[in-house]
Amino acid sequence: MSIPTPPPDGNDRKEPLQPSESGARDAWSLRIATVSGIPIRLHFTFLLIVTWLAVAGIGRGGIGSALFMLGVFLCVALHELGHSLVAQRYGYKVRDIVLYPIGGVASIEGTPRPRHELWIALAGPAVNVVIALLLAAYLAATGGFAALESAAALADPAQRAQRMAVLTQNDLALSLLVANVFLVVFNMAPAFPMDGGRVLRAALALKIGRPQATRIAAAIGQMLAIAFGILGFLNGNFFWMLIAVFVYFGAGQEAQAEQSRAVVEGAAVGAAMVREFQTLNVGDSLRRASEVLLATHQQDFPVTHGEEVVGVLPRNALLRGLAQQGESAYVSEVMLRDVLFARQTDPLEDLLTRADGVQRAPVLVMEGERLVGMLTVENLMEFLTLRQIATTRDEQQQDGR
Ligand SMILES: [Zn+2]
């Protein structure tokens, strides 16, 4: 079994200004705003595209299309905020919103209950409906719809393109109206990872439970993707085919994620944790730590100071410490101090969906002040495998009857 080890990104240094869980995301994106405590970030590919458009657009009505692009991305950001604010209202934590050239992604932690998921998924497209209605009202008030007729009358695509290049204020509003209608239609397609897929799953889950609802919604999404892909192929439309592939794999991924979530459902941290392990003392040398590493199967070690648990020493922090400071350095110099603690009764599912879960370092399980267990990635994988086998056997026996 190959398990990705956490990257050596200097997590052992305490840097209060830089939350370690989002370190990797920060490197590829630029924070542009914070709304309701949610950081909104621009992904670097987005900056590339905008730069390219700006350069390519110079001298060809670039300002008009740049304004339009800006407007569309504002609408996409508001769409994601719609999802996020409703999620927050139901008590879920929203990690961030990242804007990519092909759309936005709001990362909501935890697994929303079906009724919550339904409203969270609907909230995004609802924002675009409201924006479209506002733009329509504005256009109706300013006589902008007359412009639509004249634009539609231009059958020649070259002339229409020319019109697009010299966008007047009303044309901009009109284009944004069309873009918002498109955003609603596109996002409400009943296929993961689009919102429509989530709405479908949530609605089904209210009746038949989440695992089966996900299977059906994912299957429908994949069928739609195949149909769309064939249509794109017949039309020679490469872009459609690309979207079809994206949707096909998105649906598969969602089904997979739901499967591992269903496997841990109802399990508590105490069921999966390591109960027998060695601890190290803050005053131990790295030589002593490497002896224990060799003598046991253990890869990560809780570190104590007297009775108190003060940190954890994962294998790669130990190796790095040995390479940089040598055998005589102390455990206290290289251990991680910002440890994640849990109780035996905590749901395992919560740790799986948390960004700073068990991936970086083992979670220490406490009972009051006493250290009773440790949850490592390796152990978690073993637990998932065992549960999966048990579940499959149960299903086979039920089918056999
Ligand atoms: Zn959405």
Side-chain angles (χ1 to χ4, degrees):
M1 198 183 329
S2 79
I3 292 137
T5 46
D9 51 5
N11 276 328
D12 42 345
R13 270 167 305 171
K14 263 201 158 171
E15 287 168 1
L17 287 177
Q18 221 179 355
S20 47
E21 75 256 35
S22 51
R25 305 164 72 86
D26 285 349
W28 297 103
S29 56
L30 184 76
R31 180 193 287 222
I32 46 165
T34 303
V35 180
S36 182
I38 306 164
I40 300 179
R41 306 180 203 278
L42 273 185
H43 197 255
F44 89 103
T45 49
F46 180 72
L47 297 176
L48 278 184
I49 294 255
V50 169
T51 313
W52 175 71
L53 278 178
V55 172
I58 285 171
R60 286 197 283 124
I63 303 237
S65 22
L67 268 181
F68 173 68
M69 279 289 290
L70 214 68
V72 168
F73 269 86
L74 191 65
C75 294
V76 170
L78 289 171
H79 170 111
E80 297 305 328
L81 264 179
H83 290 306
S84 305
L85 294 181
V86 173
Q88 276 190 335
R89 226 191 69 125
Y90 283 127
Y92 301 98
K93 195 175 165 236
V94 183
R95 201 188 315 152
D96 58 10
I97 293 173
V98 183
L99 298 175
Y100 297 88
I102 49 163
V105 174
S107 303
I108 296 163
E109 294 190 355
T111 312
R113 303 227 306 267
R115 197 172 54 83
H116 297 169
E117 183 176 45
L118 185 65
W119 292 114
I120 294 170
L122 282 173
V127 168
N128 299 113
V129 169
V130 171
I131 296 174
L133 287 176
L134 288 176
L135 286 170
Y138 168 78
L139 283 168
T142 56
F145 282 114
L148 176 66
E149 277 157 41
S150 72
L154 293 173
D156 180 10
Q159 268 185 304
R160 266 213 303 268
Q162 213 172 20
R163 261 191 80 97
M164 280 293 283
V166 280
L167 283 169
T168 65
Q169 208 170 17
N170 271 351
D171 288 336
L172 182 62
L174 198 58
S175 312
L176 283 176
L177 171 61
V178 172
N180 274 281
V181 170
F182 171 79
L183 278 174
V184 173
V185 173
F186 180 70
N187 275 295
M188 286 308 286
F192 288 120
M194 260 83 81
D195 297 328
R198 289 177 202 292
V199 171
L200 176 65
R201 189 253 300 271
L204 286 172
L206 287 170
K207 296 232 153 47
I208 56 172
R210 206 178 136 104
Q212 213 187 339
T214 305
R215 273 198 289 272
I216 294 175
I220 292 176
Q222 289 190 325
M223 278 190 303
L224 274 177
I226 291 171
F228 200 62
I230 291 174
L231 212 64
F233 181 75
L234 293 178
N235 283 297
N237 192 322
F238 181 70
F239 185 62
W240 287 9
M241 285 156 69
L242 202 69
I243 289 182
V245 170
F246 170 71
V247 170
Y248 187 87
F249 285 105
Q253 229 167 36
E254 192 68 38
Q256 201 119 56
E258 171 58 25
Q259 213 171 24
S260 45
R261 198 201 61 83
V263 166
V264 297
E265 191 171 32
V269 167
M273 70 185 188
V274 188
R275 288 167 188 277
E276 287 170 22
F277 51 86
Q278 303 251 4
T279 60
L280 292 171
N281 199 282
V282 273
D284 285 339
S285 64
L286 295 191
R287 181 182 303 123
R288 160 106 184 101
S290 40
E291 281 166 12
V292 182
L293 181 74
L294 283 176
T296 64
H297 282 302
Q298 220 170 308
Q299 306 255 302
D300 315 279
F301 301 90
V303 181
T304 57
H305 180 56
E307 291 289 288
E308 198 190 348
V309 180
V310 289
V312 69
L313 184 69
R315 179 173 172 274
N316 59 356
L318 169 59
L319 298 185
R320 204 160 52 231
L322 282 169
Q324 288 169 357
Q325 303 181 41
E327 285 191 323
S328 53
Y330 292 111
V331 165
S332 60
E333 294 172 58
V334 295
M335 69 182 190
L336 310 187
R337 288 168 193 276
D338 50 340
V339 187
L340 202 61
F341 291 103
R343 280 168 310 188
Q344 291 196 62
T345 48
D346 287 347
L348 200 53
E349 201 184 319
D350 289 0
L351 280 180
L352 274 191
T353 49
R354 272 176 68 162
D356 57 351
V358 71
Q359 200 56 247
R360 186 176 70 90
V363 175
L364 301 183
V365 187
M366 308 293 287
E367 209 172 82
E369 295 287 290
R370 203 163 59 89
L371 177 68
V372 290
M374 181 168 79
L375 198 68
T376 65
V377 174
E378 293 83 4
N379 230 60
L380 194 58
M381 298 310 273
E382 298 290 17
F383 180 77
L384 289 179
T385 310
L386 292 174
R387 282 276 283 226
Q388 184 69 63
I389 291 172
T391 317
T392 314
R393 239 186 98 79
D394 280 354
E395 279 172 5
Q396 279 169 353
Q397 277 173 351
Q398 270 168 18
D399 289 348
R401 241 183 287 152

